[in-house]
Amino acid sequence: MRSSRFMKPVQIALFLVLLVASWAGATTQSPSTIDTRYKDPKQTMNTRIKSLIDQMTLKEKIGQMVQIDKPNITPEILKEYSIGSVISAAGSTPREDHKATPEEWVDMVNEYQKGSLSSRLGIPMLYAIDSVHGHNSLYKATIFPHNVGLGATRDPELVMRIGAATAVETRATGIPYAFSPCIAVCRDPRWGRCYESYSEDHKIVEQMTDIIYGLQGKPPVKGVPYVGGKDKVVACAKHFVGDGGTNNGIDENNTLTDYKGLMSIHMPGYYHSIIKGVSTIMVSYSSWNGVKMHSNRNLVTQFLKTTLKFRGFVISDWQGVDRMTYPWGSNYETSLLTAINAGVDMVMVPPNHTEFLRLMTSHVENKLIPISRIDDAVKRILRVKFSMGLFENPLADYSLVNQIGTQSHRELAREAVRKSLVLLKNEKNLLPLPKKTSKILVAGTHANNLGLQCGGWTVDWQGVDNNTLISGTTILNAISTTVDPSTEIVYSQNPDSKTLSKANEYSYAIVVVGEHTYAEQYGDNLNLTIPEPGLSTMKNVCNKMKCVVVLISGRPLVVEPYLAKIDGLVAAWLPGSQGQGVADVLFGDYGFTGKLPRTWFKSVDQLPMNFGDEHYDPLFPYGFGLTTKPLGGN
């Protein structure tokens, strides 16, 4: 047969077909050739992970490292890029009016999940939300006290039960991932996130990591990421590490301390969280001695992953990579390279996932990020998804909807409020207050406002200032249902001179005042005074009649100049939706038992000041709290 140096047209066509098929085979496989062992729950975890990752293209691997915000996502994007996670940031709900039903949440999450399941390998995405004191983005959910109040309870078992209630209400809406708990050790109350911290004392924070057991369930083996059932969620310990120690309490700023200080104060909570099986850890915006945490390979990879043997995945904070440079995002390409090589496994990229995917691909192809680093990140993400059974049960149903806002959850929140209240002053044993008397005055901006009572991270990121989107009991309503029916209640936010001129008609006044709602840097505050008109209301009323001040705040505020005129002072923190817990203790159905989780300063000039400091001179020391006995024998 005569050979030819050139292929005939039909041969060329066949060659091109085979070439294209070979290229496609490098990135895709037909369903019949896909190794489906990763879908088999009877296989070992390592077998499932290896089976899946060996079949993934670089594009699919990088897609798993992405978390996108709900407004920027579609089912088609999830399918095309094999996106690993979606987040509903605070206030990002299925409906603009924030009144979405649980069923609407489930339907929305499932719609996105179906997009992920229709991708080549059908890897389910992990939907996340900020359930930081209950499922706080959900209309009419149970809202628990913020962490500073829970720290005052000194009750890890209570916090574990709160974690379980939060998990079931979150999972009931189809969401399996909660960005909780915050285990920051707040060392300066001027920090706008101080209420997210259980205490200035790392020992209290360590104990409160028991909330992880409530959120995830107890792992059968210590230190292994674990989510134990369809009513549990993936938890997230945050923000690694030192976020509560920033200079002057400035959010996202620099924590100045030596290695011993970092390890002895800020790190213990992470060790305890890992032992308890926490599945994810979020990196802090802040720096340690000038080094951004998102770039700190020594702490993220060497210490957290290698020394502490953390086996879950590490996630960035919201645009945490962008914020590594100023102006934000000004050198995103380099920041991304640094963060991934430092050990960040999943990146929140709310506005622009395509830029992330392009840059990541370039970094890998140019061998700036080793493929071993990509594989490590993806294995960690897949381990969490497999451990929670997401491959077996990727779609949610309505079966847990009736667990939202149940009476038992509201009673749990009410119990938490009772135990969180700290009695700071009780002149002549005014408290507990008599239920039966002629006439009482209730005053203050916070007496009849659920939004102010709950604080930030409620309905919306910065909170709300109304009663319309939260289901619960205001402190005024609680007082009304607790006192004897014969007792007359007069309510005025800011009593005028005519009301105050009749002070002798009132047996006593309850003044409920405090901070406005805020979150993160919007709460940074260098003066920590009680905002107006609350301060004037407190001074005017307490100058005229016997008064109990109930302070609603995320931290200690300046009270020393006014203390002499106040007969009773109660730190109620940010109690959440169940104001009845406040009335329970004010009127003696239960006794005061709470202890200060942090030092109460005399003047902001003393700050930062924490227990054990050389020049410790507080108004009320850490651990202080007067007690009363219940009148009803509870």
Side-chain angles (χ1 to χ4, degrees):
M1 180 181 290
R2 186 166 59 93
S3 63
S4 172
R5 293 174 56 194
F6 302 100
M7 289 187 289
K8 296 178 181 179
V10 66
Q11 292 174 311
I12 293 172
L14 180 60
F15 172 76
L16 291 174
V17 169
L18 292 173
L19 181 61
V20 170
S22 67
W23 284 345
T27 57
T28 64
Q29 293 169 287
S30 66
S32 61
T33 61
I34 290 176
D35 176 3
T36 58
R37 284 181 297 166
Y38 68 89
K39 296 183 178 181
D40 182 2
K42 295 179 182 178
Q43 299 290 331
T44 66
M45 176 80 73
N46 289 339
T47 297
R48 298 181 78 183
I49 291 173
K50 187 176 189 306
S51 163
L52 183 50
I53 205 165
D54 283 351
Q55 302 178 79
M56 295 174 70
T57 64
L58 178 60
K59 179 181 177 181
E60 288 167 334
K61 290 176 181 179
I62 293 173
Q64 284 298 298
M65 299 172 68
V66 175
Q67 185 178 76
I68 311 180
D69 189 24
K70 182 187 80 67
N72 298 297
I73 202 74
T74 65
E76 292 72 27
I77 290 173
L78 289 163
K79 175 183 178 180
E80 179 182 356
Y81 297 103
S82 191
I83 298 299
S85 183
V86 176
I87 175 179
S88 267
S92 180
T93 71
R95 285 169 48 175
E96 291 185 4
D97 64 1
H98 299 287
K99 293 183 179 180
T101 65
E103 291 85 355
E104 286 175 309
W105 278 95
V106 169
D107 293 343
M108 178 192 72
V109 174
N110 281 348
E111 180 186 1
Y112 292 135
Q113 188 65 281
K114 288 174 183 176
S116 293
L117 297 176
S118 66
S119 63
R120 184 178 73 92
L121 294 170
I123 305 173
M125 63 83 184
L126 187 61
Y127 205 102
I129 201 162
D130 291 287
S131 291
V132 298
H133 63 142
H135 189 355
N136 42 261
S137 295
L138 175 63
Y139 181 53
K140 294 189 175 181
T142 310
I143 306 298
F144 296 94
H146 268 298
N147 287 355
V148 64
L150 298 182
T153 70
R154 302 295 201 276
D155 191 340
E157 191 273 338
L158 169 70
V159 171
M160 183 169 64
R161 287 187 282 136
I162 289 172
T166 299
V168 72
E169 293 205 13
T170 302
R171 201 68 187 264
T173 57
I175 299 174
Y177 185 10
F179 290 129
S180 176
C182 178
I183 55 172
V185 182
C186 177
R187 304 291 284 178
D188 192 325
R190 292 174 291 186
W191 185 37
R193 305 193 76 154
C194 201
Y195 63 77
E196 296 185 57
S197 168
Y198 293 107
S199 178
E200 72 184 39
D201 183 358
H202 68 87
K203 294 179 182 177
I204 298 297
V205 175
E206 292 168 23
Q207 293 171 10
M208 295 303 171
T209 58
D210 276 7
I211 192 173
I212 294 167
Y213 289 147
L215 292 166
Q216 295 191 163
K218 289 188 178 182
V221 180
K222 287 184 178 180
V224 176
Y226 175 76
V227 180
K230 292 179 68 175
D231 61 347
K232 299 296 182 183
V233 294
V234 172
C236 181
K238 61 184 187 181
H239 309 84
F240 186 84
V241 60
D243 53 334
T246 55
N247 190 36
N248 294 324
I250 299 172
D251 192 36
E252 304 182 21
N253 205 251
N254 192 23
T255 296
L256 298 170
T257 186
D258 59 16
Y259 186 79
K260 180 181 178 181
L262 187 77
M263 291 295 151
S264 63
I265 295 174
H266 300 285
M267 192 64 77
Y270 290 94
Y271 172 75
H272 285 264
S273 295
I274 292 168
I275 289 295
K276 292 169 185 176
V278 73
S279 295
T280 71
I281 290 176
M282 185 184 295
V283 186
S284 176
Y285 290 127
S286 60
S287 305
W288 175 46
N289 295 335
V291 179
K292 285 281 187 182
M293 283 308 309
H294 278 75
S295 70
N296 199 319
R297 189 175 189 279
N298 286 336
L299 287 176
V300 177
T301 293
Q302 296 300 331
F303 191 81
L304 179 63
K305 292 182 175 180
T306 304
T307 303
L308 295 185
K309 297 183 175 11
F310 174 58
R311 298 180 65 193
F313 69 79
V314 174
I315 186 168
S316 80
D317 207 333
W318 176 275
Q319 291 187 287
V321 173
D322 307 63
R323 300 190 194 196
M324 290 169 66
T325 55
Y326 188 82
W328 290 348
S330 57
N331 195 0
Y332 186 72
E333 182 175 0
T334 300
S335 296
L336 185 58
L337 172 66
T338 303
I340 299 301
N341 281 334
V344 176
D345 302 310
M346 182 179 283
V347 178
M348 290 192 201
V349 287
N352 195 350
H353 62 278
T354 55
E355 181 73 356
F356 173 87
L357 294 165
R358 182 184 69 81
L359 290 174
M360 285 289 291
T361 302
S362 173
H363 285 328
V364 175
E365 290 177 344
N366 291 320
K367 301 189 184 308
L368 297 174
I369 298 177
I371 192 65
S372 60
R373 172 77 271 273
I374 301 298
D375 285 349
D376 172 65
V378 178
K379 287 176 183 177
R380 289 171 176 273
I381 293 165
L382 294 177
R383 181 179 293 119
V384 170
K385 292 184 177 183
F386 281 126
S387 71
M388 67 176 298
L390 193 61
F391 280 77
E392 289 71 57
N393 297 289
L395 297 176
D397 55 36
Y398 303 152
S399 61
L400 296 175
V401 164
N402 62 358
Q403 297 297 306
I404 294 172
T406 61
Q407 186 61 31
S408 63
H409 287 177
R410 297 190 184 281
E411 287 298 325
L412 175 60
R414 180 175 172 180
E415 176 189 349
V417 174
R418 288 196 296 263
K419 293 181 175 179
S420 70
L421 302 179
V422 180
L423 182 58
L424 299 174
K425 184 177 181 181
N426 192 15
E427 191 74 15
K428 297 181 180 178
N429 294 318
L430 175 61
L431 292 156
L433 297 168
K435 295 179 181 179
K436 187 172 184 178
T437 188
S438 58
K439 189 177 183 180
I440 64 175
L441 175 67
V442 178
T445 49
H446 290 57
N448 195 35
N449 191 310
L450 282 170
L452 296 178
Q453 197 171 293
C454 291
W457 294 107
T458 310
V459 179
D460 211 345
W461 176 35
Q462 295 295 319
V464 292
D465 185 0
N466 58 60
N467 290 336
T468 60
L469 296 170
I470 304 166
S471 177
T473 306
T474 68
I475 293 172
L476 175 64
N477 288 339
I479 292 170
S480 300
T481 59
T482 302
V483 298
D484 189 88
S486 65
T487 300
E488 181 184 355
I489 298 174
V490 175
Y491 168 62
S492 174
Q493 275 198 23
N494 194 3
D496 56 21
S497 57
K498 182 178 179 180
T499 301
L500 295 175
S501 68
K502 300 177 180 179
N504 61 342
E505 296 181 6
Y506 297 92
S507 300
Y508 55 82
I510 301 173
V511 182
V512 191
V513 294
E515 293 186 291
H516 305 305
T517 64
Y518 56 84
E520 300 190 44
Q521 65 269 22
Y522 293 96
D524 287 356
N525 188 331
L526 295 178
N527 60 61
L528 295 180
T529 56
I530 299 172
E532 292 291 356
L535 180 59
S536 294
T537 300
M538 182 184 75
K539 291 192 293 185
N540 292 339
V541 173
C542 294
N543 280 337
K544 290 289 186 177
M545 64 186 79
K546 193 181 299 182
C547 76
V548 173
V549 173
V550 178
L551 192 60
I552 307 296
S553 67
R555 52 200 164 184
L557 300 177
V558 175
V559 295
E560 195 271 341
Y562 324 109
L563 195 58
K565 295 290 187 178
I566 297 172
D567 299 289
L569 178 60
V570 177
W573 314 110
L574 296 170
S577 60
Q578 303 309 303
Q580 189 65 50
V582 177
D584 286 343
V585 183
L586 288 181
F587 293 96
D589 290 331
Y590 294 81
F592 280 93
T593 58
K595 303 297 179 185
L596 283 181
R598 53 181 321 99
T599 299
W600 204 293
F601 56 87
K602 294 176 181 176
S603 164
V604 291
D605 296 335
Q606 298 175 293
L607 300 176
M609 178 177 62
N610 296 282
F611 180 74
D613 288 352
E614 185 177 354
H615 302 293
Y616 193 68
D617 183 28
L619 180 63
F620 302 109
Y622 164 79
F624 179 82
L626 302 173
T627 59
T628 60
K629 293 183 178 180
L631 299 179
N634 288 305

